[in-house]
Amino acid sequence: MTAINEFIASEVKNNDVVLFMKGTPGFPQCGFSGQVVQILDYLGVDYKGVNVLTSDDLRQGIKDYSSWPTIPQLYVKGEFVGGCDIIREMFQAGELQDFFGEKGVSARGAA
């Protein structure tokens, strides 16, 4: 396993909710990452943002890790949930809030 895969696996394993994104939660650097940040913030979910723009290896490594071609990528309790479109659709259908509840992740927000 490469160092970048070990880093990704560690982040996914050691954080209940982790978002691999372009930019940071306070300063998203793409619209899709920004949408997922808005949804998570709206729901009041504690999460860790990992900025993939800090390293080309990380940006490619997360795509390889998940076999998913786009960023952002959301992981909950070690499970890959999806990218922006999936997260937005789950949120709009009320499924994301239920999913967090099923996983034992606190969502304090307006949901």
Side-chain angles (χ1 to χ4, degrees):
M1 188 182 285
T2 66
I4 204 69
N5 277 359
E6 289 175 15
F7 171 78
I8 293 167
S10 174
E11 291 295 323
V12 167
K13 184 176 74 177
N14 294 321
N15 295 285
D16 284 350
V17 183
V18 62
L19 178 65
F20 290 87
M21 62 180 292
K22 293 179 180 176
T24 63
F27 188 68
Q29 292 185 292
C30 94
F32 299 113
S33 292
Q35 285 182 39
V36 177
V37 164
Q38 283 184 322
I39 289 168
L40 294 175
D41 289 349
Y42 179 81
L43 294 176
V45 172
D46 287 329
Y47 63 97
K48 178 172 185 180
V50 177
N51 183 359
V52 301
L53 297 178
T54 60
S55 156
D56 288 340
D57 289 343
L58 177 57
R59 188 162 56 243
Q60 185 57 47
I62 191 62
K63 295 175 184 179
D64 296 341
Y65 183 84
S66 63
S67 299
W68 190 259
T70 60
I71 295 164
Q73 295 184 13
L74 182 68
Y75 291 80
V76 176
K77 299 276 183 151
E79 178 183 337
F80 175 61
V81 181
C84 180
D85 291 345
I86 291 170
I87 300 305
R88 187 176 55 239
E89 289 169 16
M90 288 177 71
F91 172 70
Q92 290 170 341
E95 297 167 2
L96 188 60
Q97 299 85 322
D98 295 341
F99 178 77
F100 282 127
E102 290 164 11
K103 292 291 186 179
V105 173
S106 170
R108 303 174 305 279

